[in-house]
Amino acid sequence: MPERAAVPSRTTSARHVPIRLPLLALAVLALVLHLTGALDRVDDRLGDWLLAKHAQSRIPPGDIVVVAIDQKSLDELQEIAGNWPWPRAIHAELLAGLAPHAPKAVAFDIMFNEVDKLGIDSDLAFQEVVSSQDNLFFASLRLVDGNQAPLALLPPSFGAERTAGADPDARATLLVPAALPEENWRGGLINFEADRDGTGRHARIYQDIAGWHLHSMAANLARFSGTALPDRERIRLHWFGQPPATVSYLDLFTDLEQREPQIAPTLAGKIVLVAATAPGMHENRPTPLGQHTPGPHIIATAVANLRAGDWLSDWPARWPLLLVLAGGTALAFYRRASPLQSGLGLGAASLAALAAAWFAFDANLYLPVGAALALAWVGYGLLTVESQWLERRQREATIGIFGRFLDPRVVEGLVESGELDRGRKPEAREITILFSDIRGFTTLSETRTPEQVVDLLNRYFSRQVEVIFRHGGTLDKFIGDAIMAFWNAPTQTPGHASKAVEAALDMALALDEFKRELAANGEGLGDFDVGIGLHTGPAVVGFLGSDTRMEYTAIGDTVNLGSRIEGTTKGVARILVSGATKSACGNNSRFKFIHRGQFKVKGREKPVELYEPVRNTDQSRAGGTP
């Protein structure tokens, strides 16, 4: 007879979503992206965006002023200074006029690396003014290639620091303010510090060349202001959303010619940074603020950060954050949270990480969260695909399993709604059990070949199972030539006792119709008949069995009594139900019950009251051939 296939046991993999493969794929992807630098780029992009937004709330200090050699200055001063580069006497005049107003320092972000052979007198005037002041700073550059000079020959004014392990023969290619006497070379390097992607996020405090420390102009300006420099080669800049205070070179130059200057007195005690800002004169640099950040703004930011000690300290949060985000998401999937729930949780955690990175700026901390967030969401996608694939496979398996017990037309909808779950633990529930057994099967077998018997039974069982499904019953199993079915499991079925009784009555009608069709075809069945027994009571229902073979079934005394009642039908009635089933049907208008007496059944000390159900439309008493 047909027999159900084994059902996989409810192991840990059924209770939890396997996450090892998605996590392994995520780990491999993270390693590859880390080695290629892609994760750093993701961190930088998000960090730049957050930092640029946060910078809008920061105002640069008012005691750092840029004197800009702008286009207006070039145009208006052309009559007296000529084309750029101007004679250095122009700068000498500016410095001489500015000195009485006592700026803290004046730094030139322009190069004086060559002597003006056509303007010797101008250079001498410039040198004279410079030598008379001790708060002036001049730019130097380190070049990648060119003629190298021994660092040991740099004058003390340059400020090169020789560490204990410095190479006495160290050499480098430097552009220095050679137009000035060596004792006036104080200043520092103005090299732009760019990361691997070409964006400037840091400022160099010093460059180490074989143990020689060559400080930047920003570092020397901060140190001149009385700031102790940190023991590090560079700092991550904490940007300002606005440029530093700026005065046109022309306006200051003109102001100094007045009997009572208005601009120059405002520069007292301030750091003045003279820089070329006219188009084509100074190369703008890419920074988190944008692709065209003026160079003097970078120097001013570095000086301000060093003096205030508010540069950004890197906090390596990528891998701990990824562990928290990806681990939490994986745990949620492992515990079978829905993708929506897991996504909402990851979204909330992502917002918290972004908020932490934002407020960390206020504590002068830089938290790189972009790569961790990106990888966490990639992991979420991998886990979602794995979960959806597993859910689909389990749904198909569940539909395949319950399709053998319930009407296949409704199983898929029940699985989608979650009412059917093969992972559900066995539970106690009130059911109505039905046993149907063939009478006269031995005679039937003796008059037909085995193949004919099997074909006949299959046609019979198909009709009977269709009736059971039509009335919402669950097919438990075929036991030889018998059928076991029950109601109210695995889904709750209101009025299950009445539905079971109606199914039994229709099963009897289906048998009669089947016999008539066979008789019409010359396939008489002789004394072929059925006995059907029903009982209502508590039972344990669910997947039961061993690790290698499980079946969805019902066990308990209710099942045993249902089987015994079926065995009592012979010689009494086709269908008999217990008093419990009769009571559970209540006042059903579609059928009534005829008392058939008390019967002694195996396993029961007291006799059992049994009843035959009869449709109210029947004109004669039931009681088909027993």
Side-chain angles (χ1 to χ4, degrees):
M1 304 310 301
E3 187 175 303
R4 291 180 302 172
V7 179
S9 62
R10 187 175 185 268
T11 61
T12 301
S13 61
R15 294 192 298 268
H16 303 297
V17 174
I19 61 175
R20 287 175 293 182
L21 185 59
L23 290 183
L24 178 60
L26 180 63
V28 172
L29 178 64
L31 178 61
V32 172
L33 295 179
H34 172 69
L35 294 176
T36 59
L39 296 185
D40 292 332
R41 291 192 290 273
V42 174
D43 275 338
D44 290 338
R45 293 295 179 268
L46 181 59
D48 289 350
W49 182 80
L50 288 174
L51 189 54
K53 295 297 182 183
H54 188 270
Q56 301 304 315
S57 63
R58 284 172 51 82
I59 300 175
D63 62 346
I64 301 177
V65 180
V66 174
V67 175
I69 304 174
D70 52 13
Q71 190 62 46
K72 180 178 70 170
S73 301
L74 293 179
D75 294 339
E76 297 295 329
L77 290 176
Q78 186 175 19
E79 184 175 346
I80 61 173
N83 294 327
W84 183 265
W86 296 329
R88 285 158 186 160
I90 298 294
H91 302 307
E93 187 176 343
L94 182 82
L95 289 174
L98 191 59
H101 300 284
K104 180 68 176 179
V106 179
F108 284 85
D109 186 23
I110 53 180
M111 299 300 298
F112 298 105
N113 57 297
E114 293 182 347
V115 175
D116 186 358
K117 296 180 181 180
L118 299 178
I120 298 298
D121 292 340
S122 179
D123 273 14
L124 290 174
F126 184 52
Q127 292 172 10
E128 182 179 353
V129 172
V130 168
S131 297
S132 67
Q133 300 181 28
D134 61 358
N135 64 341
L136 304 181
F137 293 77
F138 300 95
S140 296
L141 274 174
R142 183 189 179 189
L143 303 181
V144 176
D145 52 21
N147 296 326
Q148 296 185 336
L151 297 182
L153 297 181
L154 287 172
S157 62
F158 192 86
E161 294 182 357
R162 180 175 179 175
T163 64
D167 181 0
D169 298 323
R171 304 171 70 89
T173 301
L174 299 175
L175 285 183
V176 296
L180 297 170
E182 290 186 353
E183 60 267 21
N184 298 125
W185 284 9
R186 176 170 55 189
L189 301 178
I190 59 170
N191 293 76
F192 176 65
E193 181 77 13
D195 292 343
R196 287 190 299 177
D197 61 353
T199 301
R201 302 179 180 89
H202 301 81
R204 179 70 60 176
I205 295 178
Y206 64 84
Q207 289 195 16
D208 183 272
I209 304 176
W212 293 77
H213 291 177
L214 277 59
H215 286 80
S216 67
M217 176 179 283
N220 283 332
L221 284 171
R223 184 161 53 180
F224 184 77
S225 301
T227 300
L229 298 179
D231 184 19
R232 59 179 65 192
E233 290 192 40
R234 67 178 192 168
I235 59 172
R236 182 183 289 273
L237 293 174
H238 199 170
W239 300 93
F240 300 99
Q242 304 174 19
T246 303
V247 176
S248 171
Y249 192 104
L250 172 66
D251 293 341
L252 178 59
F253 190 86
T254 304
D255 181 71
L256 289 171
E257 294 178 340
Q258 307 302 314
R259 177 175 298 180
E260 295 184 1
Q262 300 297 315
I263 298 175
T266 65
L267 302 180
K270 297 182 179 179
I271 295 176
V272 177
L273 184 60
V274 182
T277 62
M281 288 182 60
H282 199 284
E283 185 177 356
N284 293 332
R285 305 292 189 176
T287 71
L289 298 182
Q291 293 297 309
H292 304 287
T293 305
H297 294 187
I298 300 173
I299 296 176
T301 301
V303 174
N305 286 177
L306 288 169
R307 290 193 311 162
D310 63 351
W311 65 85
L312 295 173
S313 297
D314 290 276
W315 190 2
R318 175 190 297 169
W319 302 117
L321 180 59
L322 176 61
L323 182 63
V324 171
L325 294 178
T329 304
L331 181 61
F333 274 95
Y334 180 73
R335 293 182 174 177
R336 301 188 69 82
S338 69
L340 176 61
Q341 292 173 321
S342 301
L344 290 175
L346 180 57
S350 299
L351 291 176
L354 290 172
W358 177 271
F359 290 110
F361 292 138
D362 293 331
N364 302 324
L365 294 174
Y366 179 78
L367 274 67
V369 300
L373 291 178
L375 287 173
W377 281 102
V378 169
Y380 169 79
L382 294 174
L383 288 165
T384 298
V385 171
E386 173 81 359
S387 176
Q388 294 294 338
W389 175 80
L390 180 64
E391 181 180 345
R392 179 178 179 181
R393 190 178 67 175
Q394 290 180 337
R395 181 169 62 249
E396 291 174 350
T398 301
I399 291 173
I401 291 170
F402 282 103
R404 295 191 291 269
F405 309 139
L406 301 172
D407 187 346
R409 293 169 295 184
V410 300
V411 169
E412 186 168 354
L414 294 174
V415 172
E416 291 289 345
S417 67
E419 291 187 62
L420 292 184
D421 180 7
R422 67 180 180 137
R424 184 186 301 172
K425 294 181 179 180
E427 59 182 325
R429 182 179 293 187
E430 181 182 83
I431 65 170
T432 297
I433 191 79
L434 177 150
F435 280 90
S436 173
D437 194 13
I438 296 176
R439 303 282 184 251
F441 180 72
T442 302
T443 304
L444 182 71
S445 301
E446 293 175 347
T447 58
R448 286 171 172 81
T449 66
E451 291 79 7
Q452 291 175 325
V453 171
V454 170
D455 176 69
L456 183 66
L457 289 179
N458 281 337
R459 285 188 286 165
Y460 163 74
F461 282 136
S462 296
R463 291 172 178 258
Q464 298 291 284
V465 169
E466 193 279 329
V467 172
I468 293 171
F469 284 167
R470 189 171 69 243
H471 289 281
T474 298
L475 176 65
D476 186 297
K477 61 172 66 72
F478 298 108
I479 310 171
D481 58 349
I483 299 174
M484 174 181 170
F486 51 82
W487 278 255
N488 205 38
T491 60
Q492 296 281 354
T493 307
H496 57 87
S498 295
K499 293 180 183 297
V501 171
E502 290 190 35
L505 293 171
D506 283 351
M507 288 171 71
L509 292 178
L511 172 62
D512 290 339
E513 183 179 354
F514 183 57
K515 292 172 67 175
R516 286 194 294 271
E517 291 180 4
L518 292 178
N521 294 331
E523 299 180 78
L525 293 181
D527 59 352
F528 182 93
D529 212 318
V530 295
I532 303 174
L534 296 93
H535 177 54
T536 301
V540 175
V541 292
F543 283 106
L544 302 173
S546 67
D547 288 343
T548 58
R549 182 179 181 84
M550 301 189 75
E551 293 184 337
Y552 190 82
T553 187
I555 61 173
D557 184 64
T558 295
V559 178
N560 296 332
L561 183 54
S563 177
R564 301 289 186 268
I565 293 174
E566 181 275 321
T568 310
T569 58
K570 189 172 183 179
V572 180
R574 267 186 179 171
I575 307 170
L576 288 177
V577 306
S578 67
T581 299
K582 174 180 178 297
S583 298
C585 290
N587 297 320
N588 194 306
S589 61
R590 292 186 296 275
F591 50 80
K592 60 185 177 180
F593 295 95
I594 299 174
H595 185 246
R596 288 299 186 182
Q598 295 182 340
F599 295 83
K600 182 70 175 179
V601 298
K602 184 179 180 181
R604 294 273 177 155
E605 295 182 0
K606 296 182 179 180
V608 177
E609 301 282 348
L610 297 180
Y611 301 83
E612 179 185 3
V614 180
R615 295 186 186 278
N616 284 329
T617 55
D618 288 354
Q619 299 301 316
S620 61
R621 294 186 60 188
T625 306

